[in-house]
Amino acid sequence: MPLKRSIVFLQGPLGPFFRALAAEFSCHGYVTHKINFNGGDQWFSGADHCFDYRGTEQQWPQFLENYLKDFQIQAVFLLGDCRLYHRLARPVCDKLGVQFMVFEEGYLRPDTITLEQGGVNAFTAMDLSPAALAAASRHQRKADVTMSPTMKRRTLYASAYYWAARLRQTRFPAYQHHRAFSPVVEGAKWIRGAWRKYQYKHQDKATEQRLTGALSRQFFLVALQVHDDSQMRFHSHYDSVEAFIGETIASFAAGASAADYLVFKHHPMDRGYTCYQSFIHQQARQCGIEKRVIYCHDVSLPALYHHTKGVVTVNSTVGISALLHQVPTKVTGRAFYNLPGLTSQCPLAQFWTAPEPVHRGLFNRLHSVIFTQTQINGSFFNALALTCRNTRLFYEQTFAHRAKPVMGSQPVEQPAMTSGAAIQEVPVIA
C-alpha cells in the first residue's frame, strides 16, 4: 500500500483559507499538518494534525527539522517567505529536500493568487532568461472566474485573528510577529483608514479629474508601498518609504521638465497606518517644486495609466499592471519583472526625460509565463471552495511530481495529534 503524502501548513493569510485548503488536500489522500505560532493561527487552524509551537525563535529551526523528519513531510506551505519563522524554515527545507511552497497575493491580481516553490517576488524560481521568454507564448492568459472585492472579509478576519492572538497570548509567550500585533492598535488603525477614505473622497475625485484632464500626459506616477512591506525591507536598499520618497523628489527636481508634475499614490492597505502629506510637502518645498508635487489616496490607477508619462515603484506589482497598460516603468528596488525591454533600465535621473518604452510582445510572453507557472484563479478571502480546488490541482500538475521521496526507508504511522501530543513539546525559555 503506497505511503500517503504528508504536508505541513505554517502561517497563512488571515482567515480560514489554510483550514479550507488542508481539508481539500485531506479529502484527496494527503495527511495534513498545521503548526500554530499564536492564538490567531490557532483560531483559524484546521488539519488532520495540529501542533502549537511555543518555543523560541532560536529553537524553531531544529524543531522544524525534527518535525519534518519524524512525519516524513513532502512539502511545507506558507504565506510570504520573508516572515521570521518562514525565513528560518527555508534553509531547513532546502537541507532536507522538502518542498518550500510559498503563497503570495496574485502577481496578476485581483483574480489570482500566487504559489511558487522556493520563494516569491525577487526570490522567484521562474526562468525569465531571454531564451525562456522567447520560447513562451505570445498570448496573454485570463482567469476564468472573476473574484469579488475582499475588504469586508479582510477586516472581519483581521479582527478575529488579532483578538484571538491577544486572548491566547500566555499560550505563546515567545512568539514574535512580523508587524504590529495589538488588536486595539490594529483596530484603531483600520477605523482611521476608513475615516481617511471618507475624508479624502472628494479631494481624490478632484485630483483624478485634474490628472485625466488638464494635467494629462504631464505627470509621473509614483506608487507607494505599505510601510512595513517585506518587499521594501528585503528587496530594496531603502530603510523606509520616506527614504524612497525623498530620493524620488530630489531626482525629479533635478532632472524633470519644469512643466511636469510628480504624483504620489498612497497604498490603500496603509491608509490607516501612515500619512506622508507633511513629509512630501516638506521635501518638495526644500527642492523648490512644492507646486508640482501631488499626493493622493484613492484615485483609480487604471484610470491614470493612459494619462501618465511613466510609473515609478520600488518593486510593487503595480509595476506589472503599468506594463500591462504599456506605461514606461522604473523599478528602484529588486523585482523579477525588472527586465531589459520591459522596464526602463536607465538611472532614475534619466527616466524623467527619456523613459524607455515597453516592448508589448516581450510583456505578453512574460505575462504568459507568470500566469501558467505561478498563478491560481482564486482568492484568499472569497470563493474558497473554488480556490482550494484550483490550488490542489495546480500543485499536483506543476509541483508534486518534483517532490523527492519522503525521508526514511520505513513508513511512519501518522499519530493522532491535536496540540502536539505526538511530538515532545518545545519548552518555552524565558
Side-chain angles (χ1 to χ4, degrees):
M1 184 176 181
L3 180 65
K4 287 187 176 182
R5 295 164 291 183
S6 297
I7 59 178
V8 168
F9 294 90
L10 301 184
Q11 288 188 312
L14 300 185
F17 174 68
F18 265 15
R19 181 171 64 204
L21 185 58
E24 170 71 21
F25 274 102
S26 294
C27 287
H28 288 82
Y30 293 77
V31 177
T32 58
H33 297 247
K34 176 68 172 71
I35 298 178
N36 304 314
F37 298 88
N38 62 62
D41 293 342
Q42 191 182 58
W43 178 258
F44 288 110
S45 183
D48 296 328
H49 312 289
C50 298
F51 182 88
D52 294 342
Y53 178 73
R54 304 179 65 234
T56 64
E57 158 193 352
Q58 292 76 20
Q59 294 171 307
W60 166 241
Q62 187 59 59
F63 167 85
L64 179 63
E65 180 173 342
N66 293 342
Y67 196 102
L68 299 180
K69 288 179 178 178
D70 289 346
F71 301 122
Q72 300 188 356
I73 302 299
Q74 169 181 302
V76 173
F77 290 83
L78 51 102
L79 175 74
D81 51 18
C82 292
R83 295 183 181 186
L84 173 62
Y85 298 94
H86 297 170
R87 295 200 311 271
L88 296 174
R90 181 175 178 176
V92 175
C93 291
D94 290 345
K95 173 183 176 181
L96 301 180
V98 174
Q99 289 183 311
F100 187 72
M101 304 303 305
V102 186
F103 285 99
E104 185 58 279
E105 297 279 2
Y107 294 148
L108 305 176
R109 67 189 72 162
D111 300 327
T112 63
I113 59 175
T114 298
L115 178 62
E116 293 199 67
Q117 181 177 343
V120 293
N121 298 313
F123 291 146
T124 183
M126 283 187 289
D127 183 0
L128 300 178
S129 65
L133 291 176
S137 170
R138 292 180 294 177
H139 303 288
Q140 293 184 18
R141 299 282 298 277
K142 185 178 180 180
D144 295 329
V145 180
T146 301
M147 296 293 112
S148 57
T150 63
M151 185 56 69
K152 289 184 179 180
R153 292 194 180 216
R154 285 176 185 261
T155 303
L156 176 64
Y157 295 153
S159 177
Y161 183 90
Y162 285 109
W163 276 111
R166 178 64 176 271
L167 294 173
R168 298 301 307 275
Q169 194 169 8
T170 56
R171 171 74 180 163
F172 303 90
Y175 175 67
Q176 296 186 48
H177 201 52
H178 52 280
R179 62 188 311 171
F181 203 50
S182 166
V184 176
V185 173
E186 288 295 300
K189 292 186 182 300
W190 280 72
I191 292 173
R192 183 168 67 179
W195 164 247
R196 282 179 174 170
K197 182 178 177 67
Y198 171 79
Q199 180 184 16
Y200 291 111
K201 181 177 180 180
H202 296 293
Q203 179 180 320
D204 285 336
K205 183 177 180 180
T207 298
E208 184 173 322
Q209 291 175 343
R210 186 184 179 198
L211 295 176
T212 57
L215 295 184
S216 180
R217 306 302 301 172
Q218 287 184 246
F219 69 91
F220 287 88
L221 180 63
V222 183
L224 299 181
Q225 293 172 228
V226 175
H227 69 283
D228 58 357
D229 189 352
S230 61
Q231 287 278 79
M232 291 286 299
R233 291 184 286 120
F234 294 99
H235 299 309
S236 81
H237 66 278
Y238 300 108
D239 294 330
S240 64
V241 173
E242 287 88 347
F244 167 62
I245 291 173
E247 178 181 285
T248 303
I249 290 177
S251 176
F252 182 83
S257 166
D260 288 338
Y261 287 71
L262 187 63
V263 179
F264 287 94
K265 166 70 167 63
H266 199 93
H267 195 288
M269 295 301 294
D270 209 30
R271 190 189 300 112
Y273 295 82
T274 57
C275 182
Y276 300 109
Q277 187 165 347
S278 297
F279 180 78
I280 289 174
H281 180 72
Q282 177 191 39
Q283 294 292 305
R285 186 175 64 250
Q286 290 178 357
C287 293
I289 58 170
E290 63 269 26
K291 294 183 178 180
R292 295 165 50 208
V293 177
I294 298 171
Y295 177 56
C296 57
H297 287 77
D298 286 297
V299 298
S300 168
L301 286 176
L304 300 184
Y305 285 141
H306 297 296
H307 298 275
T308 184
K309 298 178 73 172
V311 167
V312 178
T313 179
V314 177
N315 44 30
S316 169
T317 51
V318 167
I320 299 177
S321 180
L323 295 174
L324 175 65
H325 290 83
Q326 302 295 297
V327 180
T329 302
K330 175 60 184 176
V331 173
T332 63
R334 293 181 292 277
F336 68 83
Y337 60 85
N338 188 20
L339 302 171
L342 291 178
T343 57
S344 287
Q345 301 297 298
C346 62
L348 184 60
Q350 297 178 21
F351 181 72
W352 311 118
T353 55
E356 299 168 34
V358 181
H359 189 289
R360 180 183 295 272
L362 182 59
F363 176 77
N364 288 347
R365 288 183 168 89
L366 173 66
H367 189 282
S368 177
V369 171
I370 293 174
F371 192 96
T372 56
Q373 295 187 17
T374 70
Q375 300 301 280
I376 300 167
N377 185 192
S379 167
F380 293 134
F381 308 100
N382 289 326
L384 293 190
L386 171 71
T387 306
C388 291
R389 177 180 180 275
N390 287 347
T391 298
R392 177 183 58 80
L393 292 175
F394 181 75
Y395 171 71
E396 291 178 341
Q397 295 166 4
T398 309
F399 301 107
H401 65 281
R402 305 178 190 172
K404 295 181 179 180
V406 290
M407 294 162 288
S409 57
Q410 298 297 323
V412 173
E413 181 181 355
Q414 297 293 340
M417 178 171 58
T418 57
S419 62
I423 187 170
Q424 184 176 3
E425 186 153 322
V426 174
V428 176
I429 297 178

